[in-house]
Amino acid sequence: MAQKVQDQSPEVQALAANWPIVEALLGGTSAMRAAATAYLPKWPNEEQDSYNTRLGTATLFPAMARTISVMTGKPFAKQLTLGDDVPAKIKGWCEDADQQGNNLHSFSADVMAEVLGYGLCGVLVDYPPVPTEQVRTQAAETALGVRPYLVFIRHAQILGWKMERKAGVTRLTQLRISECKEVPDGAFGTKSEPRVRVLEPGKWAVYMPDAKAEDDWVIETEGVTTLAEIPFVPFYGKKKGFMCGVSPLLDLAYLNVKHWQSQSDQDTILHVARVPILAAIGGGDDFTLTVGSSTAVKLPIDGDLKFVEHTGAAIDAGSKSLELLEDQMITTGAELLVIKPGEQKSATQSNNEAEANKSDLQRIVESFEDSLDQVLQFMAAWVKQPQGGHASLFKDFSANSLTDASAQLILAMQQGGLITKQTAIREQQRRGMLAADIDPETELDAVAEEGPKLGEITDEDIDPLTGLPRKPDPAAA
């Protein structure tokens, strides 16, 4: 059966198999609850009401979202740098790269988060369809706001592509992108309708559903471009091939789902353990029991009345299991920062050992920089500039060991407000980075007593009589 314009290609379907789990995890507790049995299976013979209660009280530990946030922040800890070879005009456009107020730095950070989560997305370098006679001068171009701008194409928008390889270069010959068009809905409202944009070298078309034939789409509008290539640049997480990439954090996603399920089991055990069962021993079928502060219970000879409680062994085992899972998730995320040997290279292929030994995140960032350079080149091509220049990201963030990398990740999570200082100290103790006999609460109290850090001391913090930093006022605290 021939593929239709709105259908995902087999290649995209294969990539999309990994997307739902990430979408649910990044959607938080509400999205995981909405997924229901997909990620929280029903127990054998469990009644639906019981399952609904268990599902409605389940909460997600957001390890996947936190790790993506921290890892995205690594290369963007310092401002993205445009090289001297970037034309001044393009540098100016990069201050509002998408014509929605986002500069290239913040726009690129969103793209990085997408590739770390899903493995593939892209940037379309678009240009407004304005008649040539209206933009004969640079002044007219500026007045009309006509210039290249960037469109963020998320993972799920990519429907399919065709490609060719010529002279050792692989390029797109067709790309299908899912879009939404906002149309009026009554006198005051609007609604979104699906569209598919089909891009080919030198031309484009937008398809819409055919109102007369179900499941058929027709061309709504079409046009031509001045470019000999499709101005789309793919960005990758873990690159598997041209237009094919997977999330480098996919294993973390599965661990996060396992934690979601284990946490639900633990909550159920705690609920059972907190509600002891009153057992009456020796009563007959006609035995009745009334419990209250002003009642007495009459038991038969050799009868007994007692509360049956959980021993707590399963609670302790479940708690330790959750701690182990959380440690595994931190370790799995931190692996992106660990320096690993690269492929064996000759002396002419590699300048030094540091060039070959990089972390996975560094390699992803280098590929990301290459894609940004292609974006700049397409911006230049739209305005017939020969060179778009180069962009650089911060890459000095890797660690020599998994222990160092996980410690670095914990520190970044604390600084980002994702975990408390007490949790950070405990996690560093577990990794041997801090002495085991340090009490987190005592240590934090001592830090508070020391006052502000040296780099944060102002004139108001100095005692004019002693010339030393003032001690915090306990009454003010």
Side-chain angles (χ1 to χ4, degrees):
M1 186 176 182
Q3 196 169 88
K4 297 184 178 181
V5 69
Q6 72 273 22
D7 295 337
Q8 285 184 335
S9 69
E11 295 83 1
V12 173
Q13 289 177 14
L15 295 174
N18 295 321
W19 294 345
I21 185 173
V22 179
E23 289 169 347
L25 288 170
L26 297 186
T29 296
S30 59
M32 291 294 285
R33 289 177 180 175
T37 55
Y39 303 119
L40 189 65
K42 286 181 67 175
W43 294 331
N45 301 320
E46 183 178 16
E47 294 182 359
Q48 188 62 44
D49 288 345
S50 177
Y51 174 78
N52 291 341
T53 300
R54 186 161 62 91
L55 179 67
T57 55
T59 53
L60 177 68
F61 180 79
M64 184 71 172
R66 290 177 178 179
T67 303
I68 289 176
S69 175
V70 170
M71 293 301 170
T72 298
K74 292 292 182 182
F76 292 95
K78 295 185 179 180
Q79 190 68 27
L80 178 149
T81 304
L82 295 175
D84 294 336
D85 54 353
V86 178
K89 180 186 291 188
I90 294 180
K91 284 185 177 180
W93 293 336
C94 288
E95 292 301 314
D96 184 9
D98 58 357
Q99 290 196 324
Q100 295 182 22
N102 296 307
N103 61 27
L104 186 60
H105 179 89
S106 59
F107 180 90
S108 299
D110 290 340
V111 176
M112 177 62 78
E114 185 84 356
V115 298
L116 290 179
Y118 300 98
L120 178 70
C121 66
V123 172
L124 176 65
V125 185
D126 211 349
Y127 193 88
V130 179
T132 307
E133 61 271 14
Q134 294 185 22
V135 286
R136 294 186 181 277
T137 66
Q138 185 173 343
E141 181 184 85
T142 303
L144 290 171
V146 178
R147 50 88 158 184
Y149 63 95
L150 310 186
V151 181
F152 185 8
I153 306 300
R154 297 185 179 274
H155 65 285
Q157 290 182 257
I158 300 173
L159 297 177
W161 61 85
K162 293 181 180 180
M163 62 185 184
E164 67 176 7
R165 187 171 180 83
K166 282 186 178 181
V169 177
T170 303
R171 69 169 197 153
L172 290 168
T173 57
Q174 186 188 82
L175 178 67
R176 292 181 292 117
I177 300 171
S178 172
E179 299 180 342
C180 286
K181 181 179 180 180
E182 194 172 86
V183 298
D185 184 19
F188 307 105
T190 59
K191 61 181 180 180
S192 292
E193 292 185 349
R195 296 289 188 271
V196 173
R197 182 176 297 270
V198 179
L199 303 170
E200 295 181 1
K203 62 181 181 179
W204 57 271
V206 175
Y207 287 73
M208 63 179 291
D210 187 353
K212 299 178 182 179
E214 186 178 354
D215 207 34
D216 281 344
W217 290 55
V218 295
I219 293 178
E220 179 184 32
T221 182
E222 57 187 330
V224 297
T225 73
T226 59
L227 299 185
E229 293 185 57
I230 297 173
F232 174 86
V233 181
F235 285 74
Y236 304 97
K238 192 174 185 178
K239 187 175 180 179
K240 295 293 187 178
F242 183 71
M243 291 293 292
C244 292
V246 298
S247 170
L249 296 170
L250 193 56
D251 288 338
L252 171 61
Y254 284 102
L255 283 174
N256 207 165
V257 171
K258 185 176 181 180
H259 187 280
W260 161 258
Q261 295 166 351
S262 185
Q263 181 68 67
S264 175
D265 292 344
Q266 183 72 357
D267 291 344
T268 301
I269 292 172
L270 285 171
H271 174 71
V272 172
R274 289 170 179 171
V275 184
I277 301 171
L278 185 60
I281 301 171
D285 294 337
D286 58 347
F287 178 76
T288 59
L289 177 66
T290 303
V291 179
S293 59
S294 58
T295 60
V297 179
K298 184 178 180 181
L299 295 173
I301 298 173
D302 297 327
D304 194 7
L305 189 67
K306 65 175 73 175
F307 281 103
V308 179
E309 295 187 82
H310 204 285
T311 64
I315 296 174
D316 186 54
S319 179
K320 290 179 179 178
S321 175
L322 284 172
E323 286 184 4
L324 180 60
L325 268 175
E326 289 165 12
D327 189 58
Q328 287 178 325
M329 288 190 289
I330 290 174
T331 301
T332 301
E335 285 180 353
L336 282 184
L337 298 174
V338 180
I339 294 174
K340 300 175 182 177
E343 296 178 4
Q344 196 68 30
K345 297 183 179 181
S346 67
T348 57
Q349 291 175 309
S350 179
N351 293 328
N352 51 50
E353 187 180 348
E355 196 62 27
N357 297 302
K358 298 172 183 174
S359 68
D360 288 343
L361 186 58
Q362 281 179 317
R363 293 189 173 95
I364 291 170
V365 171
E366 288 182 348
S367 171
F368 196 95
E369 287 178 329
D370 292 340
S371 294
L372 282 178
D373 292 347
Q374 293 179 52
V375 167
L376 294 173
Q377 188 58 44
F378 275 128
M379 294 179 79
W382 274 116
V383 292
K384 297 179 172 56
Q385 291 275 340
Q387 183 73 20
H390 298 82
S392 298
L393 293 171
F394 175 66
K395 297 187 286 292
D396 188 16
F397 46 67
S398 294
N400 291 318
S401 69
L402 191 54
T403 299
D404 292 343
S406 60
Q408 190 180 132
L409 180 58
I410 291 165
L411 179 61
M413 284 184 169
Q414 190 281 313
Q415 291 174 336
L418 301 174
I419 59 176
T420 66
K421 292 179 180 179
Q422 287 190 20
T423 298
I425 291 174
R426 285 194 294 267
E427 290 296 331
Q428 299 289 27
Q429 286 175 314
R430 290 173 61 189
R431 284 159 178 77
M433 304 301 288
L434 294 175
D437 58 354
I438 292 177
D439 179 65
E441 292 187 12
T442 303
E443 190 68 17
L444 291 175
D445 289 342
V447 170
E449 288 181 6
E450 288 183 353
K453 292 180 288 187
L454 291 177
E456 298 177 353
I457 294 177
T458 64
D459 291 342
E460 294 180 356
D461 298 314
I462 302 297
D463 188 328
L465 297 178
T466 64
L468 298 174
R470 299 177 189 271
K471 289 188 178 181
D473 183 1

